[in-house]
Amino acid sequence: MSDLKQFEKQLKEIREAYKMIFDSDEGKIVLSDLEKRCHFWSTTNVKGDSHESAYMEGQRSVLLFIKQMLQKENKNVK
């Protein structure tokens, strides 16, 4: 199996695991909590404090990654 095919297979398995976990009732509760804690619905800009802004944006980027993994796979994007 080529490296690319192996990578695509692993990515598909990981994506399915994310979906299985976050599609459960408990996963939905956790995802909702993460949305609040990781600034999904609010700004991450802290006026005058670039370090805090960067920290908050780092938290938000993890949540955005999780949400991306839960989206339907787009075959056109490589």
Side-chain angles (χ1 to χ4, degrees):
M1 181 180 291
S2 74
D3 289 343
L4 179 59
K5 291 279 186 193
Q6 188 174 2
F7 173 76
E8 288 173 347
K9 181 182 176 192
Q10 286 178 317
L11 183 59
K12 183 178 180 181
E13 290 172 355
I14 292 169
R15 186 181 299 274
E16 288 171 2
Y18 271 83
K19 288 179 182 180
M20 183 177 69
I21 290 167
F22 285 103
D23 280 346
S24 71
D25 290 341
E26 295 84 0
K28 289 175 184 174
I29 291 168
V30 170
L31 192 59
S32 177
D33 183 59
L34 288 173
E35 287 176 353
K36 294 171 194 154
R37 292 180 188 272
C38 297
H39 322 288
F40 187 70
W41 302 108
S42 61
T43 183
T44 57
N45 182 40
V46 178
K47 189 175 181 177
D49 191 344
S50 61
H51 295 288
E52 185 67 14
S53 295
Y55 177 77
M56 291 170 62
E57 188 58 28
Q59 291 177 320
R60 186 172 180 271
S61 71
V62 172
L63 178 60
L64 292 175
F65 175 79
I66 292 170
K67 288 188 161 284
Q68 177 191 5
M69 293 299 282
L70 299 176
Q71 296 298 313
K72 292 190 182 219
E73 192 173 354
N74 186 346
K75 298 284 184 183
N76 296 327
V77 176
K78 295 229 176 191

